[in-house]
Amino acid sequence: MITETSFESWFPDYLSVDAKDAFQKAFGTFKALRSVYSCSQQGYVQGAAFKGFTILRKNRSNSCEEKQVSGIILSNSCDIDCANRRDYPVNVTFAPLLTIESLGAMWTAGGANEHQVRDRMSMVKRQSVSHLFYLPNGPHGKDVVCDFSTLGVMRMDDFIDNSTAHIFTLNDIGYYFFLIKLSIHFLRLTDGVQRESPLVQ
């Protein structure tokens, strides 16, 4: 779980005092925070969410089916910038978004009781689950979670052709929360594991 002390250690050195103060105020009240969204940015950038992503799912017969999902872009913004000429096809990597209600329904279907679902939901909203990034009600009108454990990749050209609507884009504060959760999920060192280098003879 992220604590206030560990969170502050993630602040970039180049942030102004005002920006650091804004981060400190945002942290700890994230459950009620509504200022993690940008109202003006709607381009294809890291941290922007759209409808129209396609993800593959293997069913019980071992065949794959395509499913249309909403998702948030994980790819580096420059890598998918349409203004950059490429000699090869560009892919966009994304993480699916699901509503908090559908997450609870999945737990219930898996056998969790009402008390367990409530406890798990509380952990998600406290950002205590590393692979789930909780985003409170905003321009999309729903509490959602971004699932970093279930990623999708599709051709950028196909995504542009199929994307139906911009949902939201994270502002600077939301974006840094996003990067922190992303880093913790994919890059955190394993607890209790020391990666010692062999002695040079």
Side-chain angles (χ1 to χ4, degrees), residues 29 68 77 79 149 193:
T29 59
Q68 294 292 313
S77 302
D79 291 345
S149 70
V193 175

Side-chain angles (χ1 to χ4, degrees), residues 90-111:
V90 174
N91 294 324
V92 57
T93 303
F94 62 92
L97 291 173
L98 60 156
T99 64
I100 203 80
E101 291 85 1
S102 63
L103 183 63
M106 285 192 298
W107 286 332
T108 300

Side-chain angles (χ1 to χ4, degrees), residues 34 36 40 62 68 79 99 153 183:
R34 296 293 182 268
V36 296
S40 57
N62 287 328
Q68 294 292 313
D79 291 345
T99 64
V153 177
S183 297

Side-chain angles (χ1 to χ4, degrees), residues 115-164:
H115 177 73
Q116 290 171 324
V117 169
R118 188 166 55 248
D119 285 349
R120 293 176 188 179
M121 204 72 73
S122 177
M123 290 180 64
V124 169
K125 291 183 177 182
R126 293 197 313 268
Q127 303 291 2
S128 299
V129 182
S130 68
H131 72 280
L132 295 177
F133 179 43
Y134 167 68
L135 287 162
N137 189 349
H140 44 298
K142 299 177 181 178
D143 284 19
V144 296
V145 291
C146 173
D147 186 358
F148 293 141
S149 70
T150 310
L151 304 187
V153 177
M154 64 185 299
R155 286 277 295 271
M156 188 64 189
D157 291 343
D158 293 336
F159 165 58
I160 293 174
D161 291 341
N162 295 327
S163 61
T164 55

Side-chain angles (χ1 to χ4, degrees), residues 10 46 72-75 95 130-131 133 146-148 151 175-188:
W10 287 78
Q46 190 177 61
I72 189 166
I73 295 175
L74 301 188
S75 295
S130 68
H131 72 280
F133 179 43
C146 173
D147 186 358
F148 293 141
L151 304 187
Y175 183 63
Y176 277 108
F177 272 106
F178 172 74
L179 292 183
I180 288 168
K181 287 301 295 275
L182 195 64
S183 297
I184 288 174
H185 176 64
F186 285 108
L187 303 177
R188 183 180 61 183

Side-chain angles (χ1 to χ4, degrees), residues 2-11 23-24 27 177 180:
I2 306 173
T3 64
E4 186 168 358
T5 301
S6 66
F7 177 79
E8 291 177 7
S9 69
W10 287 78
F11 288 166
F23 273 65
Q24 290 170 332
F27 184 74
F177 272 106
I180 288 168

